[in-house]
Amino acid sequence: MAATAAMTFLMNTAQAGVVFGLPAAGLQGGIYRWDAAPRVINGNERSLDGGLRYSVSGGSLNTFRDQFSWTALPSSADFAAAVQSAFNAWTVVDPTTGLGTPLSFVFDSNSSVAGMTGGGVNTEGAEIDLIAATDATFWNPGNNVTQGETWFGGIGAPVTLTSGVPSYSFSQAISGVDIYINSNPGAVYSIDLFRRLLTHEIGHAIGLGDVEGSINPGAFIDDNFNASNPAATLNNSWAALVNPLDPSGSASLARYNIGGAAGAAGVNLLMESNGLGISAANPVTNLQPLTNDEFGTRQFLYPMLSAVPEPGTALMGLFGLAVLARRLRKPLR
Ligand SMILES: [Zn+2]
């Protein structure tokens, strides 16, 4: 059993293509993923099968909401929409490559959250537990920073990749996730900030790490990072360079130490622990804050074999069908 933590200091600090479980060098480690094949760990269903189930402390979205302080209390509908948006952000088709995802998330009202006082992972509960906490690993009672931290457990067993590869060597199964969000009364959230923070923490819950070189030095996966031009080389799309049958063997990807480049002008990645990528180019109101880097890392962890057809392609398909139908009808004339 291994436990891994990822933290977010929204007001202070954040980290690009970072995953958990990389060895000292290279990409071929026991990288943490949710299993694409049905799996039970310690009696609990723990896989992408049926969607990743999440529960909230308090048991309902309203009681969860009411554990936090707000600049303006969101309505039940607005809060529910914000939580839904945070999960949905991870399920959309990558607009640049057309690569989709099998990830889905479902609210699990049957499982009570199971966390740890003072932070840390308890793999019981739902697959992802969302917990309001005044006392976690990275904050104590009285702390007023709007922040979250995410812990997950794993077992040293390989998973089936979403591309269908069984028992993929360079992987290990996630056994449960706890997301803690600071609920001290002095940590005051706007609904937009809460949604962005939760979206970032959900990234950790599926295996993405913080981007900053100060947090995960040397662990950034990219195709072309160049310290003298971080804005161009950290923002370009590389999801299509992932080998879906062997992500850790992707010939065009490598690890980089990006140092402080995540803080460079024009680099606004959701998985930056410092600031969550919030910027004029990626505003806190953005319901789709994933950038090329997060889409690339998602494809690395949960590879898809091919892109979703674009509308133009689908129309061509229909046109082809119509032509075929006419041909078939022809002998009848
Ligand atoms: Zn983080």
Side-chain angles (χ1 to χ4, degrees):
M1 180 75 69
T4 300
M7 65 172 175
T8 300
F9 292 111
L10 182 62
M11 306 312 285
N12 316 322
T13 336
Q15 281 182 358
V18 174
V19 297
F20 295 107
L22 287 170
L27 298 173
Q28 299 184 324
I31 293 162
Y32 290 94
R33 291 175 169 90
W34 290 97
D35 200 339
R39 176 188 284 272
V40 172
I41 301 175
N42 297 330
N44 299 313
E45 188 279 313
R46 292 291 185 257
S47 72
L48 299 179
D49 187 44
L52 290 173
R53 295 171 293 102
Y54 66 91
S55 62
V56 295
S57 59
S60 74
L61 288 175
N62 278 345
T63 51
F64 184 53
R65 174 198 65 183
D66 291 343
Q67 294 167 79
F68 298 99
S69 298
W70 300 96
T71 54
L73 182 69
S75 70
S76 299
D78 286 351
F79 185 70
V83 171
Q84 193 71 55
S85 290
F87 283 103
N88 282 351
W90 291 98
T91 68
V92 304
V93 172
D94 173 2
T96 305
T97 64
L99 289 162
T101 182
L103 294 174
S104 67
F105 302 90
V106 292
F107 183 66
D108 177 3
S109 58
N110 294 320
S111 299
S112 299
V113 299
M116 301 282 280
T117 302
V121 66
N122 179 338
T123 60
E124 295 297 310
E127 286 169 311
I128 301 173
D129 292 333
L130 307 183
I131 300 168
T134 56
D135 184 6
T137 304
F138 295 107
W139 64 86
N140 295 313
N143 180 292
N144 295 334
V145 178
T146 48
Q147 60 183 317
E149 68 180 54
T150 298
W151 291 78
F152 62 83
I155 59 172
V159 307
T160 294
L161 291 180
T162 48
S163 56
V165 177
S167 296
Y168 181 61
S169 305
F170 306 119
S171 68
Q172 52 182 320
I174 296 175
S175 56
V177 170
D178 291 323
I179 294 176
Y180 301 89
I181 307 229
N182 187 4
S183 61
N184 277 288
V188 182
Y189 298 86
S190 68
I191 190 65
D192 288 330
L193 182 59
F194 188 88
R195 181 185 56 239
R196 176 64 77 93
L197 176 61
L198 181 56
T199 308
H200 174 102
E201 299 302 329
I202 293 167
H204 291 317
I206 59 173
L208 282 81
D210 287 309
V211 167
E212 285 91 344
S214 57
I215 303 177
N216 290 307
F220 194 98
I221 302 169
D222 198 32
D223 59 333
N224 65 347
F225 173 67
N226 182 334
S228 65
N229 193 357
T233 56
L234 290 180
N235 287 330
N236 70 303
S237 175
W238 51 269
L241 299 177
V242 173
N243 178 346
L245 301 177
D246 180 13
S248 288
S250 299
S252 303
L253 299 178
R255 277 167 68 159
Y256 296 86
N257 186 347
I258 66 167
V267 179
N268 306 302
L269 309 177
L270 170 64
M271 293 314 293
E272 289 180 62
S273 178
N274 289 313
L276 312 176
I278 295 169
S279 59
N282 193 355
V284 70
T285 51
N286 189 1
L287 298 183
Q288 187 37 265
L290 276 69
T291 68
N292 282 329
D293 187 73
E294 283 88 25
F295 284 117
T297 313
R298 185 184 72 175
Q299 175 70 1
F300 186 89
L301 290 170
Y302 304 100
M304 297 297 280
L305 289 173
S306 57
V308 175
E310 288 182 49
T313 314
L315 281 174
M316 279 175 63
L318 285 174
F319 180 69
L321 200 64
V323 170
L324 183 63
R326 267 204 297 277
R327 282 204 190 114
L328 285 170
R329 238 182 277 128
K330 207 169 181 182
L332 298 174
R333 282 178 188 166

